[in-house]
């Protein structure tokens, strides 16, 4: 048995192969990639024989969520264990799921790693539901916050349980306990109010974040330690994907080893087979363990992608962001895109309408605001990446989970553990430098179903030459550091070092998310003068200057821009170059639009109108003139700042026609500004500046601006609504139906009963 | 406690032995097999707590249930799989006890990871260092010697014994392996038997064409287990 792919395809020694793999499965469980590979080949090429062994295979895999029969005494052994789990936990858990529950219940700190699709989230949900006191779930991204949020809201109907994506004490009259789902950054709010909460369980999901050699990694570890200090009696759970040493969390954060336990699960619920393709889109099987599966690639006589799409399966293409932005993917994968014709289903239209409403996009080609991303949904084609506005991402993830997605073109953001399995995962690029991410992505291949069948997926790489590299990624084990970066002597830039020292010395301000040093820089006389200048230029008496004035100032010549620039330069301690200045000006403009209550859609429209010269085009069209020779406006796209080497650049290259300005790009870019630059960097700096200024001078304009920067409003009523989880879009609809709102709860007017169920979603838990 | 009594032991020919066995405690035999199978299953090392505590109590109930089904001739697949283990194990023990042949555990229960392709159900080695390949058949409410003998002939034709040798290599001395390579080998047919006299059973076996075909080998043992 050293050339199994060939043997299985040729139908040689099939019974022996079945018996061998069954024996392995029985004795070591579904832990070997190769065994699962072999089963996938047997299932594909010998379905009739597979049927004979199916019951044994599913029993030995212990996929107890399926309705499996028992045919033999050996099957009975698994049946008996299944019954034991059911009797003990009252759920159809797999052995791994039961073990996770046991690990959590029996230890103060439980750390584990498990392959994708082991169903850990189902266990977590149940565990969170069972808790009697507060629970804090810490995840690395807002996308994951939303995933947890939606699942928990579905699962926990009891309105006495607050499910919140920020740490806050609200709804106190009705609520008995809280479930907080937060990023490490948002988790800091806990410590200011620690006596208000009785946290029973901390759940750190995707805890490999702690290994990130960055501020976030530092911050993650610091949050873990602060949680432990504030709540020494709580239970701590760390979950990771494929890492080899989950015990590292226990060691690096100094948990008591006697009450801690770590385990690495390697059992899989689905099989996978691996293919590569040549330049003519011919596919070839290859194995991971060449000594068993064979050294040579073996021709696959069908196109697995085409077959999957035609069988109503789903395919994930992992591609670069640039291919999405420059639309190259449309050409490269046209053979598959063309298989997806429009789907007639009113639910799809509902999803599209939701996206259109939020993003202001249109699906009619050749019209302003045409979004190909939105239009493709009609054909079951999804585009997913980190610059997709969060609201849109949530909608398309629901779209995918509802089974409408046939093809998903995604960049690495899917890696962050969003639970979206596919029948095929195609890797258009293989980033061997990020093995954990690639493994996570590969883990998305193969959907585990409740059907009484063996589930498997295809993983396809884009070239015949990448097989060795791919095998290395699959076989190399990922190890986390056993020493926290908080305790390591490493040389990084000053910014990082200052941040690290602040964490170690406890001088990182929870209120402002800035170091003592940074806060000191924002409280100097010079900065205060600049702050006053900003306020004077932005306010006429107590009111903001008119929106028209901002809108008519296309080139950011108003003095407020130069003042903000001075402020940021003061914070950085150096001058900004022209490229950085352009980016900052655009960010300031977006902040100001938010101050004026402009929604995401409005901002995209403004920016699109500017870039595509829509007014000029309209005027030309009305007068019967062509617009072909009209070029797009210079348009500063998002770029991370500070960056000394950033040149002045336009998002749309020279020669782009005004009418060809892509609305999707405008959407992604606007979201990048809001999310990555304003959300992660600028708002902390500006909020602290104006809040500190208010404290010193009692200038209420400064407090007003600080609140606008932090919340997007200075109205207490709206701030309460935001604290209850409503978005500005929700507030637009719900404000008039709310009588009173405060920390105790929301008192609704009777008219709340007149709105649609869809409109009630944001407040349903408080009704 | 062996869980069975040997009620007949006769020579059909000098190199052919016939045993008839009465199980006195199917549950005991079944439990031994069940516990051994469980020990080998990944669950037992995965959840040691279950294996050490909850398993025993639950196993009692499971075994009682299956044993009752065997007694009642309920012909479902679990019963027949379990019945086959009982027949194998009783036959295996019989020849060890009565003939002092080598004790090799049931093939399913070898603790060696790579064993998995075996065809025969059990093995032994006689005093003349001849390897015996055993095949067990259980059919609810019927005499199953025909199926056992047929399977042996089939395996022999397919040279299954040759590939099985690799699995049991650990138990075989050099002489036995040399004998085997010189085509000196024997077979054990173990089967469930029902209300029929031993004389009639032996007569029927003698007439069986597969039995005739196997007579040429060094040693043949038939073990009828009354189930």
């Amino acid at each position: 048995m050293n050339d199994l792919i060939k043997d299985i395809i040729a139908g040689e020694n099939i019974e022996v192969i079945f018996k061998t793999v069954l024996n392995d499965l029985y004795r070591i469980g579904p832990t070997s990639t190769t065994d699962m590979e072999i089963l996938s080949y047997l299932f594909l090429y010998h379905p009739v024989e597979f049927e004979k062994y199916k019951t044994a295979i599913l029993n030995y895999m212990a996929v107890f969520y399926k309705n499996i029969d028992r045919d033999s005494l050996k099957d009975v052994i698994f049946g008996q264990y299944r019954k034991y789990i059911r009797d003990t936990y009252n759920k159809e858990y797999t052995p791994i799921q039961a073990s996770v529950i046991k690990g959590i219940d029996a230890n103060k700190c439980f750390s584990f790693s498990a392959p994708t699709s082991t169903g850990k989230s189902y266990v977590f949900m149940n565990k969170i539901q069972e808790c009697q006191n507060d629970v804090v779930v810490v995840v690395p991204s807002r996308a994951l916050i939303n995933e947890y949020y939606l699942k928990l809201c579905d699962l926990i109907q009891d309105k006495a349980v607050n499910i919140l994506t920020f740490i806050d004490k609200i709804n106190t009259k009705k609520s008995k306990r809280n479930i907080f789902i937060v990023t490490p950054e948002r988790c800091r709010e806990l410590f200011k109010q620690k006596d208000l909460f009785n946290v029973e369980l901390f759940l750190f999901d995707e805890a490999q974040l702690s290994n990130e050699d960055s501020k976030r990694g530092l911050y993650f570890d610091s949050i873990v330690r602060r949680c432990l200090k504030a709540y020494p009696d709580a239970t701590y759970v760390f979950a990771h994907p494929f890492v080899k040493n989950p015990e590292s969390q226990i060691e690096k954060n100094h948990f008591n080893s006697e009450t801690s336990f770590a385990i690495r699960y390697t059992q899989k619920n689905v099989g996978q087979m691996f293919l590569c393709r040549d330049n003519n889109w011919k596919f070839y099987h290859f194995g991971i363990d060449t000594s068993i599966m064979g050294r040579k690639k073996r021709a696959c006589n069908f196109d697995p992608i085409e077959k999957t799409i035609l069988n109503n399966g789903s395919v994930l293409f992992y591609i670069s962001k640039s291919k999405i932005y420059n639309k190259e993917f449309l050409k490269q994968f046209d053979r598959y895109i063309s298989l997806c014709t429009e789907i007639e289903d009113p639910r799809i239209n509902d999803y599209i309408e939701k996206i259109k409403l939020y993003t202001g996009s249109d699906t009619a080609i050749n019209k302003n605001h045409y979004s190909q991303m939105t239009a493709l949904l009609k054909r079951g084609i999804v585009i997913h990446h980190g610059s997709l506005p969060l609201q849109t991402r949530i909608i398309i993830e629901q779209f995918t989970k509802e089974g409408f997605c046939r093809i998903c073109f995604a960049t690495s953001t899917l890696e962050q553990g969003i639970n979206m399995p596919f029948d095929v995962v195609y890797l258009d690029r293989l980033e061997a430098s990020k093995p954990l991410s690639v493994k996570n992505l590969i883990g998305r291949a193969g959907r585990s179903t409740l059907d009484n069948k063996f589930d498997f997926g295809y993983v396809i790489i884009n070239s015949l030459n990448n097989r060795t590299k791919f095998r290395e990624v699959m076989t190399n084990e990922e190890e986390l550091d056993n020493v926290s970066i908080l305790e390591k002597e490493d040389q990084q830039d000053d910014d990082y070092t200052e941040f690290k020292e602040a964490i170690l010395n406890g001088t990182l301000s929870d209120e402002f998310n800035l170091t003592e040093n940074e806060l000191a820089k924002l409280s100097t006389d010079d900065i205060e003068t600049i702050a006053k200048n900003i306020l004077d230029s932005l306010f006429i008496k107590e009111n903001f200057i008119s929106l028209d004035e901002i809108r008519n100032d296309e080139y950011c010549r108003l003095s407020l821009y130069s003042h903000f620039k001075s402020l940021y330069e003061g914070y950085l301690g150096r001058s900004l170059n022209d490229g950085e200045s352009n980016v900052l000006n655009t960010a300031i403009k977006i902040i100001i639009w938010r101050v004026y209550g402009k929604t995401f859609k409005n901002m995209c429209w403004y920016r699109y109108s500017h870039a595509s010269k829509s007014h000029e085009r309209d005027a030309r069209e009305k007068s019967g003139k062509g617009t072909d020779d009209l070029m797009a406006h210079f348009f500063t796209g998002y770029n991370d700042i500070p960056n000394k080497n950033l040149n002045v650049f336009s998002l749309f290259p020279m020669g782009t026609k005004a009418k060809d300005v892509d609305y999707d790009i405008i959407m992604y870019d606007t979201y990048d500004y809001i999310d990555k630059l304003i959300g992660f960097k600028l708002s902390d700096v500006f909020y602290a500046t104006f809040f500190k200024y208010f404290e010193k001078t009692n200038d209420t304009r400064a407090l007003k601006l600080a609140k606008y920067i932090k919340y997007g409003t200075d109205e207490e009523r709206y701030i309460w609504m935001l604290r209850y989880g409503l978005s500005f879009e929700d507030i637009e609809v719900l404000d008039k139906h709310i009588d009173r709102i405060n920390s105790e709860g929301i008192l609704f007017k009777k008219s709340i009963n007149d709105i649609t169920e869809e409109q009630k979603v944001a407040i349903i838990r408080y009704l | 406690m062996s869980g069975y009594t040997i009620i007949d032991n006769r020579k059909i020919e000098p190199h052919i032995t016939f045993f008839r066995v009465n199980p006195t405690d199917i549950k005991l035999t079944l439990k031994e097999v069940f516990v051994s199978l469980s020990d080998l299953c990944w669950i037992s090392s995965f959840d040691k707590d279950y294996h050490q505590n909850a398993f025993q109590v639950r196993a009692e109930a499971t075994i009682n249930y299956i044993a009752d089904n065997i007694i009642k001739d309920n012909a479902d697949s679990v019963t027949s799989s379990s019945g086959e283990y009982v027949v194998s194990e009783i036959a295996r023990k019989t020849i060890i006890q009565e003939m002092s042949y080598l004790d090799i555990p049931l093939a399913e229960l070898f603790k060696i990871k790579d064993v998995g392709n075996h065809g025969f159900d059990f093995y032994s080695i006689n005093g003349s260092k001849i390897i015996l390949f055993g095949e067990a058949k259980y059919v609810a409410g019927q005499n199953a010697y025909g199926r056992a003998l047929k399977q042996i002939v089939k395996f022999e034709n397919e040279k299954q014994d040759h590939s099985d040798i690799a699995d049991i290599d650990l138990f075989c001395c050099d002489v036995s392996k040399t004998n085997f390579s010189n085509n000196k080998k024997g077979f054990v047919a173990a089967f469930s038997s029902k209300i029929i006299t031993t004389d009639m059973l032996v007569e029927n076996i003698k007439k069986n064409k597969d039995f005739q075909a196997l007579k040429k080998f060094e040693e043949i043992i038939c073990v009828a287990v009354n189930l």
Side-chain angles (χ1 to χ4, degrees), chain B residues 176-221:
Chain B
S176 64
K177 283 192 265 188
T178 311
N179 281 335
F180 179 78
S181 55
N182 292 330
N183 210 26
K184 288 184 172 178
K185 57 191 175 187
F187 296 95
V188 184
F191 48 86
S192 56
S193 59
K194 280 287 156 186
I195 352 145
I196 180 173
T197 63
T198 301
D199 289 343
M200 198 178 284
L201 187 57
V202 170
E203 281 315 303
N204 288 345
I205 289 171
K206 282 165 139 177
K207 282 184 233 158
N208 182 287
K209 68 175 189 337
D210 292 317
F211 176 78
Q212 299 288 336
L214 291 171
K215 278 166 68 175
K216 63 182 180 206
F217 292 106
E218 301 299 303
E219 178 165 11
I220 302 295
I221 304 171

Side-chain angles (χ1 to χ4, degrees), chain A residues 79-135:
Chain A
Q80 185 179 293
Y81 188 55
R82 177 187 190 166
K83 192 164 181 308
Y84 157 76
I85 290 175
R86 191 191 297 142
D87 292 348
T88 311
Y89 303 102
N90 233 350
K91 293 266 183 327
E92 295 287 353
Y93 283 144
T94 64
I96 285 77
Q97 289 173 319
S99 168
V100 169
I101 288 281
K102 212 181 261 189
I104 297 173
D105 289 345
N107 298 284
K108 293 309 281 178
C109 175
F110 177 63
S111 180
F112 72 95
S113 65
T116 327
S117 86
T118 29
K120 70 172 162 55
S121 96
Y122 177 57
V123 175
F124 287 168
M125 294 299 144
N126 293 331
K127 194 71 220 163
I128 293 167
Q129 188 178 25
E130 274 173 26
C131 284
Q132 298 298 310
N133 297 306
D134 299 326
V135 173

Side-chain angles (χ1 to χ4, degrees), chain A residues 22-75:
Chain A
L22 267 171
N23 181 56
D24 255 11
L25 219 49
Y26 184 78
R27 292 174 190 234
I28 61 168
T31 54
S32 145
T33 303
T34 302
D35 283 343
M36 301 308 283
E37 229 178 313
I38 296 169
L39 284 173
S40 306
Y41 281 102
L42 290 169
F43 181 78
L44 179 69
Y45 286 102
H46 300 281
V48 178
E49 290 87 340
F50 197 97
E51 198 57 30
K52 279 197 300 188
Y53 296 100
K54 184 183 80 181
T55 305
I57 290 166
L58 297 182
N59 270 299
Y60 301 175
M61 284 175 68
V63 281
F64 296 156
Y65 48 87
K66 291 178 186 282
N67 185 20
I68 326 166
D69 262 351
R70 286 174 295 285
D71 278 350
S72 71
L73 194 58
K74 282 165 133 181
D75 296 347

Side-chain angles (χ1 to χ4, degrees), chain A residues 740-752:
Chain A
R740 259 184 299 135
I741 181 166
N742 54 31
S743 65
E744 287 186 345
I746 310 178
L747 189 65
F748 292 97
K749 294 178 184 166
K750 276 192 181 155
S751 60
I752 195 72

